Amino acid sequence: MPLELKEFTEIVDGDWPHGPNMQKRPTPEELQRAIQLLLTRQCVYSWLPNLGRLYDIIVHYNPFFERYFGAAGYVLRIHPNEQMVAIEVPHGQSRYDTVYERLRKDETQVLLIMRLMWEEAIGRQDIGEGGVAETTTGDLIDRYKTIIQQEPPEENRLMEILRHFSRKGAVKIGITDRIDRVTPITLLPGVSILVPDGFVDDLRLWAASPAPAEPVETPDQPDRDQAA
């Protein structure tokens, strides 16, 4: 039996030999859901509604999850200060699975701008507890125009893109001010997983290139159906 499947049974039965079991050990359904959660959301935080238990399971049994995802070519990242766990795809690898999602150029550009804004907030020491940076869609649009030197996506399209990356754990969307038509957004540390350090310069160059006629495969991360 493969080690990962053997460990799955040991964890569920309370016989896991790699450390103390949780006081309330996970059920098979919880362990499966924790795996599915990382594959669909990619970045998971302890404060997500109804997901704190799964976060604790992933952290407590992290050697199992490291081996499980490592067998598929992913890297498990645990960030205790940000209370975040995530899976990351090593940069530069060719993939044949759903991890490489087809992103349109405007999606990639917005993702790049969010990553740069998060970096800038760190440089200003304007990062809140848990590694979050508060900003607005107005600021995002301004940075987009400055860096990309193009008109940003129109409002509905921009919100669609932000909701997409919200499911991945890169951004949290607030309530839109209908008068000023500005929406508060919180940049989450997961944006550094979606756009790792070694990929920033590549994205910078790619975002400045002519728009392709068809969607282009870019090293984004897992996101299909929302797990919860």
Side-chain angles (χ1 to χ4, degrees):
M1 179 182 294
L3 175 62
E4 286 73 25
L5 298 182
K6 180 174 183 290
E7 281 193 280
F8 186 103
T9 302
E10 290 172 342
I11 291 170
V12 169
D13 292 342
D15 299 325
W16 194 58
H18 303 290
N21 288 280
M22 296 181 72
Q23 186 173 6
K24 181 184 177 184
R25 64 178 182 266
T27 64
E29 293 76 19
E30 285 179 324
L31 205 54
Q32 289 172 348
R33 191 168 179 231
I35 293 170
Q36 295 164 359
L37 181 66
L38 278 171
L39 283 172
T40 53
R41 282 186 180 260
Q42 187 203 346
C43 300
V44 178
Y45 303 90
S46 65
W47 47 262
L48 286 171
N50 304 316
L51 297 181
R53 164 75 173 162
L54 298 183
Y55 170 89
D56 290 340
I57 289 172
I58 295 167
V59 171
H60 192 91
Y61 295 103
N62 71 83
F64 162 73
F65 289 96
E66 285 176 354
R67 283 187 281 269
Y68 185 93
F69 289 110
Y74 308 139
V75 178
L76 180 71
R77 300 294 188 193
I78 299 179
H79 299 264
N81 291 339
E82 290 79 21
Q83 299 183 51
M84 177 184 75
V85 293
I87 54 173
E88 180 179 325
V89 179
H91 180 46
Q93 288 190 358
S94 297
R95 306 291 302 196
Y96 302 94
D97 54 17
T98 57
V99 170
Y100 266 41
E101 183 182 5
R102 291 183 179 274
L103 288 183
R104 295 192 179 277
K105 188 164 184 177
D106 60 351
E107 295 170 328
T108 305
Q109 289 171 332
V110 169
L111 178 60
L112 170 61
I113 299 305
M114 290 195 299
R115 174 65 158 91
L116 293 178
M117 291 178 70
W118 185 75
E119 280 186 348
E120 290 167 353
I122 292 177
R124 298 191 307 268
Q125 298 185 343
D126 194 19
I127 287 287
E129 184 177 355
V132 306
E134 304 292 344
T135 187
T136 68
T137 52
D139 293 335
L140 176 61
I141 288 171
D142 288 343
R143 296 300 289 140
Y144 187 104
K145 290 178 178 178
T146 299
I147 296 172
I148 306 299
Q149 296 186 1
Q150 297 175 8
E151 284 301 310
E154 53 86 22
E155 181 181 2
N156 290 339
R157 174 60 178 157
L158 178 60
M159 295 309 297
E160 178 185 348
I161 293 171
L162 291 177
R163 285 191 293 269
H164 175 76
F165 291 125
S166 175
R167 291 193 296 272
K168 292 174 174 288
V171 62
K172 184 178 179 181
I173 305 170
I175 299 174
T176 301
D177 185 322
R178 292 301 176 184
I179 298 176
D180 294 333
R181 302 186 71 83
V182 170
T183 303
I185 58 174
T186 303
L187 303 178
L188 304 176
V191 73
S192 66
I193 300 293
L194 271 65
V195 189
D197 292 337
F199 193 46
V200 173
D201 290 339
D202 292 345
L203 271 177
R204 213 187 285 261
L205 292 172
W206 186 81
S209 67
E214 298 294 332
V216 176
E217 250 184 26
T218 60
D220 197 24
Q221 308 285 352
D223 179 37
R224 282 296 177 263
D225 297 324
Q226 191 170 342

